[in-house]
Each structure stands twice: as C-alpha cells, then as structure tokens.
Amino acid sequence: MESSIRDMHDIENKVARLVEKMTLEEKIGQLCLLNCSEKQATASFRERLIAGQIGGILNQVNIDTVEELQRIAMSESRLGIPLLVGRDVIHGFKTIFPIPLGQAATWNPDLIERTARVAAIEAIRAGINWTYAPMLDIARDPRWGRVAESLGEDPYLTSKLGAAMVRGFQGEDLSHPLSIAACAKHFAGYGASESGRDYNSTNIPPNELRNVHLPPFKAAIEAGVASIMTSFSDLDGIPATANEFLLRRVLREDWEFDGMVVSDWGSVSQLQVHGLTVDDRESALRAATAGVDMEMASETYADHLATLVSEGEVSVDHVNEMVANVLRLKYRLGLFNGSNLKKRKFLNAVSSDSLAVAKEAALESVVLLTNNNKILPMNKRKLSSIAVIGPMADESYEQLGTWIFDGDPDRSQTPLASLSRYVKDVTTITHAAGLSSARSSDTAEFAQAVEVAEKADIVLLFVGEDAILSGEAHCRADISLPGAQEQLIEEISATGTPVVLIVMTGRPLALECVVSKVDAMLCAWHPGNMAGPAIIDLLFGEQSPSGKLPVTFPRVTGQVPIYYAHRNTGRPPTRDSIIDLEGIESGAPQHSFGDTSFYLDTDYRPLFPFGYGLSYAQFRYDNIEVSASRVALGDRFTVSAQLTNDGDVEATEIVQLYVRDLAGSLTRPVKELRGFQRLRLKPKQTVTVSFELSTDDLAFYGPAQKLVTEPGQFHVWIGGSSTTDLRAEFEISASS
Ligand code: GLC
C-alpha cells in the first residue's frame, strides 16, 4: 500500500512537471486519438507525430509500424511522449473466445479474467497497450445488435464479470509489460437504445439509470479500470459525449474516477448531428466542458480547442486537467520507459494454452435448453450413423462472432470437423448443410438434407445467425431464425429421425416455433475458435453443460423488451395459458379474460428465463433458511439452502440468489440477482450452499437519488434459475 501511494505521488509529480513544459499545441495533441491503418501511417502522419500533435492511435496492429511510430513519438518529438495504441480486443485477439454474451453464460469471473489475460498477452505482441473493452451496457432488447458484446441484462452479473475482465486485461500492475489498459464502455445507458436500433435515443429515468445502467461502470472503476468511453447515444436529450451529469457529477464527483475519458468514434463531431450543437467548434466546447479528455477519430479538438482557449471559452487549467488524465494513464502504463515495448515483440503464434482456455470458455458458455427423454448425452457406440445438417455446422469464420478484427478462422475447429475426429471409425457421419448460409432462403438443397436425415440414427442440426447479423449497427426487427432455417427444421423434424438442435447466435432468438420440433436444444452463442471440440464434448457427455442464460429468451419478437427483473405492475398477469383467438365467442364481454398484464395471442412469460440452463445431472434445492427473520440496518446475515444432485453424473451447478423488496419508496423489481456460486457435485451428493449478505446489498437509489436500504419486508430465493420458487422471508428493521 505504501509503495503504491508513493508511486501515485511520483506519477502526479511527473505529470505536473511535464504539463508545465508543454505548449498549448502539444497539450491539444495529447487529446487527439487518430485511426492509423497501414495506409494512414503516411509521411504527413509522421510529421504530426514529430510536432507532438497526436496522443494516441488505434487500429494499427503491425508491430513494426507501431514500433516505428512509437520511436518517432519518443525520439523525434520535442518532449518524447509515447503513444497510446488502442484496439477493440473484445473477446480475444488471435485466439477467439465466445462472444461476451456467451462468456457471460459461464457465470465464471475467474474464467473470464483468464480469457482477458490471454487476449491481453496476444494483443501486446502487436504493440497494443489499450483495449476498448469491457462493454458494460445493460442489454434488455435483443433486437439490438450489440447485445452480443454485452454481458447480458443484469447489473449484478455484469458488474461481477465486467470487473473480472478489467482485472484480466490490466493484471495486478498496469505498468507490467504484459498489462494493457482496459476501457469500460459505453458510458452510459447505450443498451436502452429505443426500439433496439443502434445509436438510437435513450430515455432513462434517473433511478433506472442509477439502479440498472450505472452499477457495472462503478464496479469497473472499483476494479481499477484505466479509462471510460462515452456512448454515441443521446441520454434524455443530452448525448453522453456532452453530458456533464454523467461525466462530471457521476464519474468525477460521486465516483472520484481519476482515469481518462475517451469519446467513441466521431461521437464528438456527431453532437451536431444529434442537434445539440451548431458546428464542430461548439461540439469541441461541449465535449471538453462536459469532461471528454481524448477525442477519437474526429478532430474538433485539433481544429478548435486552441481558439476556444484564446477566446476564453475553455480555460488553460481545464485543458491541463484533460492532458493530465491522458498523461497519467501513459505513466501508469509505464510507456515512458519504452524498453518494455521490445519485450512484447514475440511470435504471433497462438499457444496451445490459449486454445485450451478457449475450449474451457466455450464448454462453460453452452446452455442446454431442452433435453427430451434425456436424448443427450449421446453414446457413439450406440449410434451407427449421425447426420450433421445445417448452415452453422462447418463455418470456421461465422462461429467466431462479431468484433474479431484479428481473429483467424484458420485456427477454428468446427463441430463437423471435431465430430469426425471424435467418432472416428465408430460411427458413420453424413453431412448436408441444407442452406448455403444461416441467412439464405434458397431451399434447393433441402431434399439432400432430408435424405441424409432419413438414413441416420440421429440428426445434429446446427442453425443460428451468421456473425454479420449481430454486433455494432447490426440490429434485427425480427429476431426469429433468419433465412429458411425454420423451414429446414420443420422438414428435418418431419423425417422422424431424432433431432438435436444447436443454435449459434449473437443474441437471444425467438425460438418458440421450433422448440416442439426437436428433441433437444442447446444455445452455443458464437463460441469462438474452439466451438467444435467444446460442443462435441458436451453432446457426448465428456462434460455436462453448465451454462445459464445471462439474458432472457422471448417466445416471439413482440414480447421485447422482456427481462426477469421487471416491476410487478398493479395488475400482474395471472393467466398461464394463451387464448384461442378464433375460439372467442362473438360478443364476448369486454372483461371476460380478466384485466391483467398479459397478451391475448402469446404467453406473457419468456420462452427461457434469465438464469436458466439444464444439466445432465438433476439438481434439487431444499430447506432455504435465513440466519435471522429480522435484521437491523447495517447487519450481516446468511441465507442458505441444500443442493442435491439426484442425477448419476458429476456436474456443475450455478446456484443463484435473488431478493425482493416488497414495498419501497419506489416500486422495486419482483426479483434481483444478489449472489451466485458455481458448485460441482458428485452423483447423489448433497451440500449446503450459503450466501452472506449485508443490508447494504439491498440498497437502491430512491426518488431522492440517494443510495438507501429501506426497512421493511423482503423475500429471498435460492435456485438454479430466476424462476426459482424456493423462498424465505425476512424483515429489515430501522434499528436492532
Ligand atoms: C466503435 C464502437 C466502439 C469501439 C470504437 C473503436 O464505433 O462503438 O465500441 O471501441 O468504435 O473501434
């Protein structure tokens, strides 16, 4: 602790001394983050480096170019200030792990820390020292393409997993040669983009902003995240990139964040497009005043900040504060002793260790959704022929998912290839894609696929979304299976051969119409390089699936947004069956179905709820207990239950704890996740699982925008899904 305080003071002194030496032009140069592809690294770009007009570059991954540009910045400019070198290392660099939404399905912070660690080490090999991850936007609308990059719909789970990613990227010591700076994004509320359309407006009530969208960013800051990226989105009429409430009041005053704030790509210049400013000059003024230190890609700071200072609209002190935030990050990263750059230059190879971590992550990310008559796991000695069908069975690129700039499909192992290796000569494999891609509607190859299915003992049917159908700007108004996949499933199902459906996707899909057509279903997300080995191991029971949904699966798109931590309403739905619209008698009385919050044409409940996932074991929960039926504010207490594996295989269960505040100064969600544990049980084993809570864990931002725990009655649940009904009650009293 002593040394770290000393180091902090040492850095502050260095920053202050360097700022004193800098001209205004050099200061503004540090606030400029420019894209630097190979063709942009021109002579004029190098001239700007020498003039000290560039503080960072992004999207340059040729280590020789990076070293050349760093050399110029550090030896040919007047002050020798090194560059930040940024890249979107979102779920792997060379080795590609499951998309973040898939990694979230592992509910495994330790594993996620390791995937980020591997990614950091691989990125460093290209000279990268800053990644634009973790993405911490709470995503409750799966039409939004960026749900793929998120850690799901829940603030508590996103907080725990996002903090783990920060630790993985940054390591114990940011100045270590194998550490890179993380960047929590997109601050804030981006996941609430209206209609699930990217970059769209967000309208978020203050308490929902504080209770739902902000906690993961606070957790990232508590984990030491080095930087924050502002969102493209307009929050209640003031875009996040010019939002003083977010960037000053919350980030700097409430949370005392001392890291660096970077805009998103062009989000400063886009303030004019939003209609907040009249020109780039005003955009620069609004962003700088609000608290954006570094401008990514656009150049309003480079073009207008000096004038704004000379005209007294932005003070030199304010610019010095912005520059200090950038320099502090560079000192913390140890960039000034450029020697560590050399240590970073080693082979771009992907080690077998990194592929082992990728397989582990893929194994734990897969969620078993249905398993009728325990058709899974399969036994290859009992199967003479397996038909592999579907457009996602052998797609080494598509299985990687979105945001894989530097990933290598040649390193992918697909399910078809892995199956061939797994069954070798024991079982005959036949293959028919049926569709040329997941988005194809050309059914010309259906007949061949049907023929292959008819001759097989079982069909493994791989469907889902191509990688391009999720990710930034790739939103879908209809989240059913794209192309003619539903029809393919229908025709394969009609052969009568048992069907195991494996869905590879960047988002929850509306799958109600296919569930009854198949004998088992797994969601594998976009699993990354090791999709094949992981999925095949799970299908044949080398491991039991353990994944749990980090996001709700709707039945149909029309239910969206749908999420478990909703408020109760004054008329919660009571109907658990849908109505046959055609069967409604003419003249049926207006209130004949009961006036509650349900749909006439669809079950109001999700298809698969948050926290859900099956196992090859059978887990049973009993005897929930609270250590005290009445606790005083500030007290700690324990909630426990018994967990039994009634099955005949050893497996891992993700035990979840949910709470509810029955009456508050604001209406509170019907359930909120407040704890989870991964437990591995042998067959017939029973364990007691305990969670220690404090009344602070039940705090929320009330109408006064203050974090409070209010006395009153509470429910608490423990179970293997957000629909658990194993419940206990307790009371929080104002005083002991
Ligand atoms: C993109 C994304 C952001 C990313 C940045 C740099 O538009 O919104 O998440 O980090 O630009 O690529």
Side-chain angles (χ1 to χ4, degrees):
M1 191 62 179
E2 277 291 303
S3 65
S4 65
I5 291 172
R6 189 171 54 248
D7 291 349
M8 282 167 67
H9 286 158
D10 182 35
I11 286 177
E12 290 312 309
N13 292 334
K14 287 177 180 171
V15 166
R17 285 201 300 274
L18 182 48
V19 170
E20 274 172 16
K21 293 179 195 167
M22 297 171 78
T23 64
L24 180 59
E25 185 192 28
E26 288 166 333
K27 291 174 184 175
I28 293 169
Q30 286 303 304
L31 309 181
C32 298
L33 172 64
L34 300 184
N35 198 51
C36 181
S37 62
E38 278 300 294
K39 66 176 187 303
Q40 286 170 310
T42 59
S44 62
F45 194 93
R46 285 166 161 78
E47 289 308 315
R48 291 187 68 179
L49 281 177
I50 294 167
Q53 293 175 352
I54 300 173
I57 60 175
L58 72 153
N59 296 329
Q60 176 51 250
V61 290
N62 176 330
I63 179 70
D64 297 324
T65 305
V66 170
E67 286 194 332
E68 167 60 6
L69 298 177
Q70 281 287 20
R71 187 198 58 74
I72 292 171
M74 296 179 76
S75 60
E76 295 187 29
S77 71
R78 188 176 76 89
L79 294 169
I81 300 173
L83 293 166
L84 288 171
V85 181
R87 184 70 161 175
D88 292 283
V89 184
I90 307 294
H91 55 109
F93 183 70
K94 284 291 175 206
T95 304
I96 301 300
F97 303 104
I99 53 173
L101 191 59
Q103 292 192 47
T106 71
W107 294 51
N108 189 341
D110 296 340
L111 176 56
I112 285 174
E113 186 172 336
R114 282 189 285 127
T115 64
R117 187 92 295 273
V118 169
I121 293 170
E122 290 187 352
I124 280 159
R125 291 170 180 158
I128 291 161
N129 54 41
W130 186 24
T131 178
Y132 304 124
M135 189 267 219
L136 300 177
D137 302 306
I138 295 300
R140 294 178 164 177
D141 189 329
R143 294 172 295 181
W144 189 46
R146 304 197 78 162
V147 63
E149 290 175 73
S150 79
L151 294 167
E153 71 182 55
D154 184 71
Y156 183 88
L157 182 63
T158 297
S159 297
K160 296 295 183 188
L161 303 184
M165 248 182 213
V166 169
R167 292 191 297 270
F169 286 128
Q170 298 191 168
E172 293 291 318
D173 170 4
L174 199 51
S175 67
H176 189 282
L178 294 182
S179 295
I180 61 175
C183 183
K185 69 184 185 182
H186 306 81
F187 195 64
Y190 188 20
S193 295
E194 204 163 72
S195 314
R197 208 153 31 86
D198 207 355
Y199 317 118
N200 204 358
S201 307
T202 68
N203 301 293
I204 308 174
N207 50 68
E208 183 169 319
L209 183 70
R210 290 266 194 186
N211 291 322
V212 175
H213 297 278
L214 294 185
F217 290 91
K218 187 165 189 292
I221 288 169
E222 286 165 356
V225 72
S227 59
I228 295 269
M229 182 188 293
T230 64
S231 164
F232 287 121
S233 47
D234 165 340
L235 174 62
D236 305 343
I238 302 180
T241 300
N243 195 302
E244 292 197 38
F245 171 74
L246 285 176
L247 302 181
R248 289 240 161 272
R249 167 72 195 281
V250 173
L251 210 46
R252 301 293 185 185
E253 293 167 20
D254 293 354
W255 295 350
E256 298 179 345
F257 177 61
D258 72 349
M260 191 263 277
V261 175
V262 62
S263 79
D264 201 338
W265 185 287
S267 65
V268 174
S269 58
Q270 288 161 18
L271 295 175
Q272 184 180 354
V273 181
H274 274 288
L276 186 80
T277 62
V278 296
D279 55 22
D280 276 352
R281 180 187 180 283
E282 191 184 3
S283 296
L285 174 60
R286 291 297 300 268
T289 307
V292 174
D293 299 317
M294 227 178 178
E295 179 179 10
M296 179 193 289
S298 54
E299 297 211 49
T300 69
Y301 282 10
D303 296 340
H304 301 285
L305 212 42
T307 309
L308 289 165
V309 169
S310 63
E311 290 171 358
E313 295 203 62
V314 176
S315 71
V316 173
D317 287 349
H318 186 77
V319 172
N320 289 349
E321 192 184 298
M322 296 163 72
V323 176
N325 290 335
V326 175
L327 296 178
R328 184 178 305 113
L329 173 52
K330 294 184 175 184
Y331 276 111
R332 285 177 173 172
L333 268 168
L335 297 186
F336 282 85
N337 50 10
S339 58
N340 64 26
L341 192 62
K342 295 294 177 198
K343 295 177 201 153
R344 297 175 170 180
K345 184 178 179 180
F346 34 88
L347 285 179
N348 253 359
V350 163
S351 72
S352 55
D353 296 351
S354 54
L355 288 175
V357 177
K359 179 180 177 182
E360 187 182 346
L363 275 166
E364 292 192 16
S365 68
V366 175
V367 181
L368 180 58
L369 300 172
T370 66
N371 189 14
N372 303 345
N373 308 315
K374 296 186 180 177
I375 188 172
L376 292 176
M378 301 187 295
N379 179 338
K380 63 183 176 182
R381 303 200 180 290
K382 294 181 179 174
L383 293 166
S384 62
S385 71
I386 298 173
V388 177
I389 296 172
M392 296 298 284
D394 196 30
E395 284 292 342
S396 56
Y397 174 79
E398 304 300 350
Q399 70 184 42
L400 300 182
T402 187
W403 283 115
I404 48 101
F405 289 168
D406 307 291
D408 185 347
D410 293 344
R411 292 188 173 96
S412 283
Q413 298 179 39
T414 66
L416 178 62
S418 301
L419 179 65
S420 305
R421 282 194 293 276
Y422 185 83
V423 296
K424 289 196 181 75
D425 49 3
V426 173
T427 308
T428 303
I429 295 172
T430 53
H431 173 234
L435 287 161
S436 57
S437 76
R439 56 190 186 275
S440 167
S441 297
D442 179 355
T443 61
E445 296 172 25
F446 275 25
Q448 184 200 359
V450 166
E451 185 182 346
V452 162
E454 283 168 340
K455 296 173 182 170
D457 293 335
I458 196 167
V459 172
L460 301 182
L461 183 45
F462 293 86
V463 299
E465 288 185 323
D466 297 318
I468 196 70
L469 297 183
S470 62
E472 182 173 353
H474 298 163
C475 306
R476 296 178 62 211
D478 171 359
I479 57 169
S480 52
L481 281 166
Q485 296 181 100
E486 287 179 3
Q487 188 184 338
L488 176 62
I489 294 166
E490 179 87 35
E491 296 200 16
I492 298 302
S493 170
T495 66
T497 303
V499 178
V500 174
L501 191 73
I502 301 95
V503 183
M504 290 195 202
T505 178
R507 57 164 53 84
L509 295 174
L511 297 170
E512 182 173 52
C513 61
V514 302
V515 175
S516 61
K517 304 253 180 346
V518 298
D519 300 273
M521 269 173 73
L522 301 97
C523 176
W525 315 102
H526 284 127
N529 282 128
M530 297 299 276
I535 291 170
I536 296 310
D537 274 9
L538 292 170
L539 291 176
F540 288 91
E542 298 296 335
Q543 272 217 42
S544 166
S546 60
K548 299 282 187 180
L549 294 179
V551 65
T552 300
F553 272 56
R555 295 169 184 276
V556 295
T557 304
Q559 287 183 289
V560 169
I562 182 171
Y563 48 95
Y564 86 94
H566 59 80
R567 302 198 296 275
N568 202 31
T569 79
R571 294 187 174 193
T574 53
R575 168 178 297 281
D576 56 8
S577 62
I578 63 170
I579 291 160
D580 168 16
L581 300 188
E582 289 181 52
I584 298 175
E585 59 190 47
S586 62
Q590 166 69 22
H591 304 296
S592 45
F593 304 119
D595 298 340
T596 63
S597 179
F598 75 103
Y599 296 108
L600 283 172
D601 54 357
T602 294
D603 188 323
Y604 69 90
R605 291 165 297 188
L607 184 61
F608 301 112
F610 175 85
Y612 171 87
L614 300 178
S615 168
Y616 293 152
Q618 271 72 48
F619 291 110
R620 172 167 50 85
Y621 291 82
D622 300 298
N623 307 329
I624 185 169
E625 285 182 10
V626 189
S627 54
S629 58
R630 196 163 189 267
V631 293
L633 276 177
D635 277 3
R636 303 190 71 78
F637 58 102
T638 303
V639 186
S640 63
Q642 282 186 321
L643 171 65
T644 300
N645 175 359
D646 288 331
D648 49 16
V649 295
E650 182 173 339
T652 295
E653 170 73 333
I654 296 168
V655 183
Q656 301 152 50
L657 177 135
Y658 295 88
V659 298
R660 181 184 180 184
D661 182 347
L662 293 180
S665 56
L666 290 173
T667 56
R668 306 292 298 124
V670 295
K671 270 187 179 128
E672 287 183 288
L673 181 71
R674 282 293 178 275
F676 59 91
Q677 295 179 32
R678 295 172 57 83
L679 295 177
R680 191 159 182 82
L681 272 71
K682 297 185 183 330
K684 315 310 175 197
Q685 183 183 3
T686 294
V687 298
T688 297
V689 54
S690 296
F691 293 89
E692 188 179 334
L693 293 172
S694 108
T695 56
D696 295 345
D697 293 319
L698 297 151
F700 67 101
Y701 282 89
Q705 288 308 299
K706 293 276 181 272
L707 190 59
V708 291
T709 299
E710 296 176 349
Q713 299 296 325
F714 289 80
H715 287 167
V716 59
W717 294 262
I718 288 179
S721 160
S722 59
T723 55
T724 174
D725 56 9
L726 185 65
R727 188 184 86 185
E729 301 167 9
F730 64 95
E731 179 187 356
I732 292 181
S733 62
S735 57
S736 49

